[in-house]
Amino acid sequence: MKTQEELIQLDVIPQFTEEVVGTDLLNIHSIETFGTHDGPGIRMVVFVQGCQFKCLYCANPDTIALKGGSWLDIEELVKRAINQKPYFGKKGGVTVSGGEPLLQRKVIKKLFRRLHEEGINTALDSNGRLIDQHAKELLEETDVLLLDVKHINNEWHKKLTGKSNLSVLKVADYRESTGKPMWLRYVLVPGWSDQAEYLHELGQRFKDFTTIQKIEIQPYHMLGVHKWEALGMEYGLKGVEPPSKEIIERTVSIFSQYFKEIKVN
Ligand code: SF4
């Protein structure tokens, strides 16, 4: 087993890091307590470091780099979750968000198993970057999957995130095949992801899914712009304004033809 210091020095991406060292350490960016926006009830939200998408609107661009972050033993996270358990109530629990959690799927699977042993609900907020046996095992331990579908059209998805949406759709299909709950999340960006034809296409793609409990619309905001500037990175959506009330209402109206519950965050 390598020391934390050695792990930080490793010039490899997180998913390989786990494989190399078989570690119980999770590379995290930050932890939020009493989160109410990432899954059911009140939650402890663990933001992991590293993401292979580069969304133009990313509000936390400091979580994208695969290096960086801090390594924390999952038992430390379990201990913190147990301390907060009285606040979780019936619905709450722990959400792992990011960054992209699937990049560290093996260790998060272990974390979720431990949380389940302690009777704590688990949620995974993922961009659906990949699906393999370890990802499937992690999804088995995930009570609610919050799946970010950035765009239904592959070309637009590539423009927005730098990557294809094929794996995202595969993750959605796999989740549906397991019969376990899923929420979709959709960032609404004027001129980029608000095209009526694609909103309908997204609805058509998912309308028969029985596991989708709701779709959450996340209106684009510019709160992360200063972080891009601080990191010396160019912000790709300069000049794009948050969606108007009309755009949001029109999107809700389209989605309501396909989904039973729509929430605007
Ligand atoms: S998937 Fe999430 S963390 Fe990754 S770049 Fe996009 S918004 Fe940022």
Side-chain angles (χ1 to χ4, degrees), residues 39-189:
I42 294 171
R43 312 191 69 85
M44 179 173 110
V45 186
V46 180
F47 295 93
V48 295
Q49 181 71 34
C51 181
Q52 292 170 332
F53 283 9
K54 196 173 176 188
C55 302
L56 296 178
Y57 47 68
C58 184
N60 297 304
D62 45 335
T63 66
I64 295 177
L66 296 168
K67 285 191 275 182
S70 335
W71 295 90
L72 205 62
D73 195 296
I74 56 173
E75 280 309 319
E76 174 59 30
L77 289 168
V78 172
K79 213 187 305 168
R80 291 192 196 191
I82 291 170
N83 286 340
Q84 288 168 36
K85 205 174 161 188
Y87 304 101
F88 292 158
K90 279 192 185 140
K91 291 187 185 164
V94 173
T95 298
V96 177
S97 181
E100 174 45 43
L102 285 176
L103 300 186
Q104 301 186 72
R105 54 207 176 283
K106 283 172 78 177
V107 71
I108 299 171
K109 174 185 71 182
K110 285 189 195 170
L111 169 66
F112 279 9
R113 271 199 191 137
R114 281 288 297 116
L115 291 170
H116 278 155
E117 282 168 17
E118 303 296 339
I120 295 171
N121 177 282
T122 61
L124 190 78
D125 178 16
S126 170
N127 65 21
R129 175 71 181 97
L130 57 94
I131 184 81
D132 64 4
Q133 189 52 34
H134 295 302
K136 289 177 181 176
E137 288 170 15
L138 167 58
L139 290 176
E140 193 54 40
E141 295 289 339
T142 300
D143 294 317
V144 187
L145 170 66
L146 315 177
L147 183 65
D148 304 305
V149 180
K150 312 283 189 183
H151 210 292
I152 196 63
N153 177 272
N154 202 18
E155 291 313 309
W156 278 100
H157 192 278
K158 285 182 197 164
K159 278 191 235 174
L160 266 175
T161 71
K163 299 281 184 206
S164 152
N165 68 5
L166 295 180
S167 65
V168 187
L169 301 177
K170 276 189 193 165
V171 169
D173 291 342
Y174 177 73
R175 187 64 172 179
E176 174 69 6
S177 76
T178 65
K180 291 168 78 78
M182 158 165 66
W183 298 0
L184 298 187
R185 311 186 105 182
Y186 192 76
V187 181
L188 186 64
V189 191

Side-chain angles (χ1 to χ4, degrees), residues 39 98 197:
E197 63 186 297

